[in-house]
């Protein structure tokens, strides 16, 4: 325990900055900064302020990106580069145990990172209702939906060459075109089929469910 504790004592500032400071600046820049411009030119977005509109998107995409980051290169490293999983396989652990342990770690990371993000949203009154306390845990389920197949894919990959392609042609479009920042009506006509394609994703469904609940609160 001494080594991890001593290591974290030297690196905690970066961890706090990435999990606490950066998300609150991100939310303030988009929700308040861009939101002020949106309110000035268009008023409300789908019956709510832009801050309330974008908050569930940021929570969903944060957990999605965490699942991606923890499930590709770290898994390939443990299989091929540093061979941590080979060492684990020499113990009484079964392959299922290693897999479930990895998914449990990703879930733990999701809760630990999603908790501060949710706290920032509460600070800005983005999730004022009681059910908002469940959002970090629901975000963990979103994370698991992305993490499980990516772990399986990374474990069978021979190199990380395809990971960049996945990010470029799957994750980044999903981030941009899942109605994360704008409602469907605001996209130009030639992009709407692309946005419609992402209706089948977990991120889109998360966005729409959380926003519909908040619209009822905002109008009441």
């Amino acid at each position: 325990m001494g080594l991890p504790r001593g290591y974290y004592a030297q690196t905690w500032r970066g961890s706090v900055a990435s999990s606490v400071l950066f998300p609150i600046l991100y939310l303030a820049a988009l929700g308040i900064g861009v939101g002020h411009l949106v309110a000035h030119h268009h008023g409300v977005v789908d019956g709510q302020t832009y801050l309330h509109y974008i908050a569930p998107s940021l929570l969903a995409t944060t957990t999605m990106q965490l699942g991606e980051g923890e499930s590709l290169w770290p898994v390939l490293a443990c299989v091929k580069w540093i061979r941590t999983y080979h060492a684990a396989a020499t113990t009484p652990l079964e392959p299922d145990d290693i897999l479930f342990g990895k998914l449990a770690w990703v879930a733990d990371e999701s809760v630990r990172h999603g908790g501060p993000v949710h706290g920032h949203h509460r600070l800005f009154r983005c999730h004022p209702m009681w059910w908002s306390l469940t959002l970090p845990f629901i975000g963990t389920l979103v994370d698991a939906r992305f993490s499980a197949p990516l772990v399986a894919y990374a474990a069978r990959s021979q190199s990380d060459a395809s990971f960049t392609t996945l990010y470029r042609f799957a994750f980044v479009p999903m981030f941009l075109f899942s109605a994360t920042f704008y409602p469907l009506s605001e996209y130009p006509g030639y992009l709407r089929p692309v946005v419609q394609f992402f209706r089948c994703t977990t991120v889109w469904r998360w966005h729409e469910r959380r926003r519909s609940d908040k619209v009822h609160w905002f109008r009441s």
Side-chain angles (χ1 to χ4, degrees):
M1 292 298 293
L3 179 60
R5 185 177 302 171
Y7 177 78
Y8 188 72
Q10 299 176 16
T11 61
W12 67 269
R13 295 173 183 83
S15 177
V16 170
S18 63
S19 61
V20 178
L21 181 59
F22 293 164
I24 198 170
L25 293 177
Y26 191 33
L27 178 64
L30 289 175
I32 298 177
V34 177
H36 176 74
L37 298 175
V38 172
H40 178 72
H41 293 283
H42 297 283
V44 296
V45 180
D46 281 358
Q48 55 194 315
T49 67
Y50 188 69
L51 175 62
H52 287 81
Y53 178 85
I54 201 174
S57 303
L58 297 183
L59 185 56
T61 54
T62 296
T63 56
M64 179 190 77
Q65 291 168 346
L66 176 66
E68 299 161 5
E70 289 288 341
S71 304
L72 290 175
W73 281 276
V75 173
L76 182 62
C78 289
V79 172
K80 292 187 67 68
W81 298 335
I82 58 177
R83 303 176 70 86
T84 305
Y85 292 160
H86 291 266
T90 63
T91 70
L93 291 175
E94 297 292 334
D96 287 349
D97 298 326
I98 300 174
L99 172 62
F100 294 147
K102 174 61 180 180
L103 296 179
W105 167 255
V106 174
D108 177 74
E109 287 286 285
S110 177
V111 173
R112 292 198 299 115
H113 285 77
V117 173
H118 176 260
H120 303 153
H121 293 182
R122 293 286 295 179
L123 179 65
F124 288 99
R125 289 185 55 78
C126 299
H127 306 299
M129 291 180 286
W130 64 268
W131 54 256
S132 67
L133 297 175
T134 66
L135 291 182
F137 302 100
I138 298 175
T140 301
L141 298 179
V142 175
D143 198 1
R145 287 285 297 271
F146 285 96
S147 179
L150 291 178
V151 167
Y153 176 77
R156 297 179 63 87
S157 297
Q158 297 302 312
S159 73
D160 63 342
S162 61
F163 296 172
T164 304
T165 303
L166 275 176
Y167 266 87
R168 186 171 299 166
F169 295 106
F171 301 146
V172 172
M174 191 181 303
F175 173 68
L176 295 176
F177 301 129
S178 292
T180 303
F181 302 103
Y182 312 102
L184 178 62
S185 59
E186 297 298 322
Y187 285 88
Y190 65 89
L191 278 179
R192 290 186 185 181
V194 179
V195 181
Q196 291 280 8
F197 172 77
F198 286 108
R199 278 185 180 272
C200 62
T201 65
T202 304
V203 175
W204 177 290
R205 294 171 182 172
W206 164 282
H207 293 172
E208 293 304 301
R209 178 59 181 169
R210 300 283 73 79
R211 285 169 181 157
S212 64
D213 289 342
K214 287 202 299 182
V215 165
H216 295 321
W217 169 85
F218 189 76
R219 290 174 175 172
S220 62

